[in-house]
Each structure stands twice: as C-alpha cells, then as structure tokens.
C-alpha cells in the first residue's frame, strides 16, 4: 500500500510531551476499530474523515522541519488500522526522523511487523484482559491488547505503557493491578492517567 494513501485527520506541528525527551510532530491517522467509552478523538474513529490532510502536505511540512524536529509520532485513531502505515513510517524514517507510535495494540500481528521500524512506543493498556470489552465495546480486545504488550516487551523497543483510570471503568485499585502486572512482565515505564468520559 503506497504511503500517500495514508488518511491523516490532523497534525500537531510541535510537541515535547508526545515522545518523551524529543521534539516531535504528531500525525493523527484516521480510523479505529474499537469504540472506547472514553475515546477522546471521536472524529478520528471513522475510516474516512471530514477534513483529511493529504500525505504530500505532511511530507512537505516535514521537509521544512528537518533539523528542527527530532521525531514524528503516529497517533490516532489507531494508526495500525491503516494498511499504508508501514510505508508512511519508512518514508518518514528515510527523511531522518525518529519514529514514535501511539497504539492501543488492536492488531498484534501488524504491530509485531512494525516494531523494528519504530524508536519508541506508547501503548495503551486499558484493563484486565477479561474486562476489556466493557471499555472498548469490542469482543476479544483484551487478548489483542495484552498480546501486544508482550510483543512490545519482547522487542526491546523503548516504551511507555499508559493506563487510563476512571471511577466508572477502571478504578484506582484496578489501575494499580494493571500497572503491577505490566511491571512484573518487565515494563520499565508505566503511567496512570486520569480519564474523563467524552462529552
Ligand atoms: S482504541 Fe483509542 S482511538 Fe480507538 S476507540 Fe479506543 S480510545 Fe478511541
């Protein structure tokens, strides 16, 4: 799949918080197969967006930021939702940028193939495996996400696991359970953030 078919729903030109320690731009890709109760980016969930940014415009922007930005983070939506992601990442890598990826680990096999191409990953882990569907409203989502967490750890790619605590969906004790489980699996960075329901 050609890189220029990547559907982009948004761009943040400069951030110092989306890739720890690096100045980065964030490319928000369109589309996600899950429907989390607290999703913060509902406009990015459909496969097609109302105001997509052509990939050529992203490349032109990055071309002008060589030497000024360290990295490009692919976020979403769920970046691995799109088949053009590996090619888009390779194109940006070839321009000299480090690659960050935000993912919910929806597609473990796709993620496994991507890991050698990326320099840092922020992976959401939303709940205990058995409780996942209560948040994602998607069957078998827990198996996918926890398998993705195992793959990230096995890869050695620098990571940050992110847990969203919410009184209705993942209370503090459950969030701590998830954190301890990830640490026991070998995670070196696990953060708990406080969530809010969209709308
Ligand atoms: S996986 Fe992420 S982008 Fe997809 S619905 Fe859940 S919170 Fe939203």
């Amino acid at each position: 799949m050609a890189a220029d078919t990547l559907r982009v729903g948004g761009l943040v030109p400069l951030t110092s918080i989306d890739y720890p320690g690096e100045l980065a731009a964030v490319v928000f890709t369109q589309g996600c197969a899950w429907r989390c109760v607290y999703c913060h980016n509902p406009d990015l969930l459909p496969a097609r967006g109302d105001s997509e940014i052509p990939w050529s415009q992203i490349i032109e922007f990055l071309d002008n930021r060589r030497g000024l930005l360290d990295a490009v983070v692919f976020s979403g939506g769920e970046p691995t939702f799109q088949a053009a992601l590996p090619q888009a990442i390779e194109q940006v890598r070839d321009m000299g940028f480090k690659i960050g990826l935000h993912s919910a680990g929806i597609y473990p096999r796709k993620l496994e193939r991507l890991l050698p191409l990326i320099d840092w990953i922020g992976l959401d882990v939303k709940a205990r495996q058995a409780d996942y569907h209560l948040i994602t409203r998607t069957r078998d989502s827990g198996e996918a996400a926890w398998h993705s967490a195992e793959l990230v750890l096995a890869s050695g790619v620098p990571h940050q696991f992110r847990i969203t605590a919410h009184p209705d969906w993942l209370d503090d004790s459950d969030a701590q359970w998830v954190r301890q489980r990830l640490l026991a699996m070998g995670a070196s960075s696990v953060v708990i953030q406080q969530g809010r329901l969209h709308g």
Side-chain angles (χ1 to χ4, degrees):
M1 184 73 71
D4 62 4
T5 63
L6 191 78
R7 300 181 302 283
V8 177
L11 172 74
V12 169
L14 178 64
T15 164
S16 60
I17 58 172
D18 286 276
Y19 186 143
E22 307 286 356
L23 285 179
V26 184
V27 173
F28 292 92
T29 62
Q30 197 70 41
C32 181
W34 290 357
R35 291 295 178 269
C36 298
V37 288
Y38 48 59
C39 185
H40 53 289
N41 277 335
D43 294 345
L44 292 171
L45 297 186
R48 300 302 312 231
D50 292 336
S51 53
E52 294 178 3
I53 305 172
W55 181 245
S56 59
Q57 211 169 300
I58 300 290
I59 292 299
E60 192 182 331
F61 164 79
L62 292 176
D63 204 24
N64 290 326
R65 292 300 187 281
R66 288 184 208 242
L68 301 173
L69 288 174
D70 305 310
V72 176
V73 177
F74 289 82
S75 187
E78 167 56 48
T80 59
F81 182 78
Q82 292 196 49
L85 183 68
Q87 289 77 10
I89 284 177
E90 281 178 356
Q91 188 175 2
V92 173
R93 271 184 80 87
D94 288 347
M95 296 174 77
F97 296 102
K98 292 182 182 174
I99 302 294
L101 178 69
H102 292 171
S103 175
I106 288 181
Y107 302 112
R109 274 177 295 182
K110 286 189 189 181
L111 183 65
E112 189 172 26
R113 289 194 294 272
L114 279 175
L115 284 166
L117 301 176
I118 65 178
D119 300 290
W120 176 85
I121 181 165
L123 190 80
D124 293 342
V125 181
K126 298 175 184 292
R128 297 171 195 248
Q129 183 168 317
D131 296 338
Y132 239 81
H133 65 287
L134 300 171
I135 292 174
T136 64
R137 298 184 276 205
T138 307
R139 260 177 57 185
D140 300 331
S141 47
E143 285 86 336
W146 281 91
H147 185 37
S148 290
E150 290 170 353
L151 291 170
V152 167
L153 290 168
S155 74
V157 171
H159 62 260
Q160 182 182 75
F161 292 99
R162 290 103 61 93
I163 302 163
T164 299
H166 186 283
D168 295 337
W169 304 103
L170 188 75
D171 66 22
D172 287 341
S173 68
D174 283 336
Q176 284 298 340
W177 185 94
V178 173
R179 180 171 182 274
Q180 292 304 326
R181 177 81 193 112
L182 289 164
L183 292 172
M185 288 165 63
S188 58
S189 173
V190 185
V191 297
I192 297 176
Q193 53 203 10
Q194 295 300 317
R196 59 182 168 78
L197 278 175
H198 176 73

